[in-house]
Amino acid sequence: MTLVGDHSTGVPMRAEVEARDAADPLAHLRDRFHVPEGLIYLAGNSLGPAPLAVFDDMETALRQEWADGLVGSWNEAGWFALADRLGDRIGALIGAEAGQTVACDTTSVNVYKALHAGLSLRPGRTTIVAESGSFPTDLYVAEGVVAGRPDVTLLLEGVDGATLEELIGERTAVVLVNHVDYRTGALRDMAALTRRVHEAGAVVVWDLCHSAGILPVALDASNADLAVGCTYKYLNCGPGSPAFIYAAHRHHETLRQPLSGWWGHAAPFAFELGYRPDAGARRLLCGTQPILSMRALNAGLAAIEDVDMAEIRAKSLALTDLFMDLVREPCAAHGAEIVTPQAAAERGSQVSITHPDGYAIIQALIARGIVGDFRAPNLMRFGMAPAYLSYHDIHVAATALVEVLESESWRDPRFAARRAVT
Amino acid sequence: MTLVGDHSTGVPMRAEVEARDAADPLAHLRDRFHVPEGLIYLAGNSLGPAPLAVFDDMETALRQEWADGLVGSWNEAGWFALADRLGDRIGALIGAEAGQTVACDTTSVNVYKALHAGLSLRPGRTTIVAESGSFPTDLYVAEGVVAGRPDVTLLLEGVDGATLEELIGERTAVVLVNHVDYRTGALRDMAALTRRVHEAGAVVVWDLCHSAGILPVALDASNADLAVGCTYKYLNCGPGSPAFIYAAHRHHETLRQPLSGWWGHAAPFAFELGYRPDAGARRLLCGTQPILSMRALNAGLAAIEDVDMAEIRAKSLALTDLFMDLVREPCAAHGAEIVTPQAAAERGSQVSITHPDGYAIIQALIARGIVGDFRAPNLMRFGMAPAYLSYHDIHVAATALVEVLESESWRDPRFAARRAVT
């Protein structure tokens, strides 16, 4: 196969790419994942692949813990403590000291808790500020929160003001913001924005769905207040795997959230009549967690937690740079535009490209074994996960994209039909 | 082994019990479950045993769907539709026509949605009525709801009035009630109470945690409004398996619930800016569901859904009668009291017995392979699941309880230590 770049100047050549793979300190991580033969998987920003260790873990969870251990496994297999133990391990990957993060529920439910917790920390303040370009569920949930709080208004960047900063003021209670934009891959400066929010006397809720596990996140060092995120993207913990929620130690005693179920009680098995929140991060829990899905988190976290996140970030930037370098000119020549910021400090780990026929182009790539994804109306997303992608993979994927664009093979009618869910 | 009853009069004899097993039309169901060798499992009212089909299902979910199918499985493996499809199957077991039940989240989170939905259906009304003897999480969540609704008060049976009926009046918006009491096993008359609630102009939320899958539930026929329940007890769907929530068709258009996440949106993949609830029961959904845990529901439901619920109920009553007949006199003679109602129409499928040393007695029984459970301060619970228990099992279990009581073998110090979680 002739790869793009081989006959050009200024873009990497096959030999250069192979040399990078040979020198890659993370190359061995690929053996920890199941990536189907013949597939180059660039949709890990949507659903990460299965870590190999998950098969044995689930066998243990099913046969030893549930089938044989039965109800005793709540103690003996440590099921009840999974929310904290896994939470602390997620915390270690996002710059949170132990005791501040719990694994539970869904990102949407955790956004709901976090927004209410934020409001409880800033009584008397009357606005929640968010991004109109947020992943929609954050906004839908924020709508649900303000619908129950007639004293609170939801203000949106891009609707009520051009920038978040313009909307943050003395009335702001909570700023809900995505660390990495799910569409463009743009990365916010967590420390700077958190400082800005605090200067206004508000608290911030960081949505880490597209940054947890793929770049260094420094919640504690940034003095963040609250955070939520999912574990099924770059943390590779399984489809719809339980999410997480973080609250800084300093807020634990004060914060309240209305999903006050028994798992958040200070003494859940005392069966007291009244709710009394746990002193720590467990007050962010609500009901009994889905243990089989929770048990899959171990393998996902174990697959990357012994790696320096700075190394993952370095390779992530190198992979995204390589891809952008290879496709930039052909994209421009064929009506496609890279919308991911070019500066390393301003982007996460995906390359997003718009094209009016993006849906068909993604289908044409999938037919060639290159799996990216599409978001309406015109966005193609290519997630770059250093744990299971090589420079060669990226070279092949970029070549395929260029060929699909140049040959217009996406015009084949079989690539036109839209599926219900993408 | 000499079994109780063999040398008495008025209680069943070994031969009679064996004859019942030989004639049991549900005896074959036991082959659908993994019950560890040597165990008589009477804690299915807490966590049901593993249906054998779950092992293959989970292998498929892990290897074919996640590992090989990757992100495409949201469509191709039908993951996105699981909430409705499994919900409809649960609905069929609780007397609900299709399109009214979704499988999702936890019972606690669903209680939160249901109470808010109930309030939205009765604007201007100012009380929620519940039972002080409710499983505590229902009350904790109700507290969370009223904390955010200064116009609404939570009234408790047993605290603010002796009976629910006394508390239901023209101010009542929602009555939250357990179909079967988790402590005593007492069963409410669903049709009668629903009628009473409707006469007062209120709506009712039924908590079916201890009745779904074990006795005929007639939500539609009772004209119920809302219901919630778990799937990990008598539905045998796995530890912490996703719960369910039901809303009667007639309420779909009107009801609102604040956990308005993207899965409840009318067009979740259109990524619209504003929340627009789905026209049907999906408006009760919130975020992305834990698929591995969801996938375990199929086997649990399949294991009983081809059986007439009336047959399950008949055997359940026979098993509980047998157990109570065998232990009643010895219990009375040794300071233990059966607190489960004797009348068939007034109880679910557990036998609950109080004893000051109930904890140690349960431990002594577990040491003999008889697994019941204990709830503070003095309650022993024995759940009777017809799908995997024989009359002989119950005879053996009753004999063991009688022997432990008569010999006071529970005084052995190794049975005294309390575990953190029971």
Side-chain angles (χ1 to χ4, degrees), chain B residues 329-365:
Chain B
E329 283 182 29
C331 276
H334 293 89
E337 185 191 353
I338 298 175
V339 295
T340 298
Q342 196 161 344
E346 293 172 17
R347 62 183 154 87
S349 195
Q350 74 192 55
V351 175
S352 297
I353 302 174
T354 56
H355 187 287
D357 291 289
Y359 179 80
I361 294 168
I362 287 291
Q363 300 314 308
L365 287 170

Side-chain angles (χ1 to χ4, degrees), chain B residues 27 30 53 140-141 159 198 305 346 365:
Chain B
R30 188 188 180 105
Y140 301 160
V141 168
V159 174
H198 288 175
E305 66 194 347
E346 293 172 17
L365 287 170

